[in-house]
């Protein structure tokens, strides 16, 4: 599955189960992974950090995902916008490694989860003009 070039969309399909870690090997995907609005459970696989050429649109919102946000996501340094994990049951701290995503400009949604702790100072490294960062209701 390393030859895809545009998008992977399975949104709003009543899918259940966990997100397969093999999706982190879709290294040819450059802009869209939509798994939102399903009934997916378990954690976000750390293998998604291997998607280093991914530039936009990872949407896992409105599922039943739990566990910590993987720090490996910070390796996705080409991400420019749209990382949406809101309305799940994610817990733990916001990983400081997300501050490595210095090209990020907008739509960073972690609201409506069970996150704890402080907002990492490393997110201050996101020096582009970022719009729409949501951490509320945690």
């Amino acid at each position: 599955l390393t030859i895809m070039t545009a998008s992977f969309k399975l949104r709003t399909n009543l899918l259940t189960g966990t997100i397969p870690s093999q999706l982190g090997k879709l290294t040819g995907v450059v802009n869209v992974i939509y798994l939102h609005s399903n009934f997916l459970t378990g954690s976000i696989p750390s293998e998604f950090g291997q998607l280093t050429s991914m530039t936009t649109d990872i949407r896992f919102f409105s599922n039943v995902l739990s566990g910590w946000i993987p720090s490996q996501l910070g390796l996705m340094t080409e991400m420019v916008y749209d990382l949406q994990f809101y309305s799940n049951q994610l817990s733990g701290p916001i990983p400081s490694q997300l501050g490595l995503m210095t090209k990020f400009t907008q739509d960073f949604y972690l609201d409506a989860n069970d996150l704890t702790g402080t907002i990492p100072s490393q997110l201050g490294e996101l020096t582009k003009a970022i719009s729409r960062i949501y951490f509320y209701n945690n």
Side-chain angles (χ1 to χ4, degrees):
L1 294 175
T2 58
I3 57 172
M4 295 180 71
T5 59
S7 61
F8 184 83
K9 298 179 181 179
L10 291 173
R11 64 178 181 244
T12 318
N13 281 300
L14 304 174
L15 296 175
T16 60
T18 60
I19 298 172
S21 61
Q22 294 87 341
L23 290 181
K25 300 193 186 318
L26 294 174
T27 55
V29 172
V30 292
N31 64 358
V32 174
I33 296 179
Y34 289 170
L35 293 174
H36 63 82
S37 305
N38 284 295
F39 295 96
L40 297 171
T41 58
S43 61
I44 298 170
S46 62
E47 288 82 0
F48 275 88
Q50 297 174 26
L51 300 175
T52 56
S53 62
M54 185 92 185
T55 57
T56 66
D57 284 320
I58 295 183
R59 298 182 184 184
F60 293 164
F61 65 85
S62 296
N63 279 291
V64 197
L65 298 173
S66 59
W68 289 26
I69 298 169
S71 61
Q72 293 87 342
L73 296 183
L75 299 173
M76 298 176 7
T77 57
E78 297 302 311
M79 283 293 288
V80 177
Y81 68 87
D82 218 356
L83 190 63
Q84 297 188 21
F85 296 159
Y86 68 89
S87 293
N88 280 290
Q89 297 172 3
L90 298 171
S91 60
I94 298 168
S96 61
Q97 292 85 345
L98 296 181
L100 298 172
M101 301 167 76
T102 57
K103 295 180 182 179
F104 210 86
T105 60
Q106 70 182 31
D107 295 341
F108 187 48
Y109 298 166
L110 298 177
D111 49 297
N113 280 292
D114 296 316
L115 300 174
T116 58
T118 60
I119 297 172
S121 62
Q122 291 84 346
L123 293 186
E125 300 298 318
L126 304 178
T127 56
K128 302 280 185 187
I130 298 178
S131 64
R132 294 185 297 263
I133 298 178
Y134 297 135
F135 297 138
Y136 68 88
N137 202 19
N138 276 294

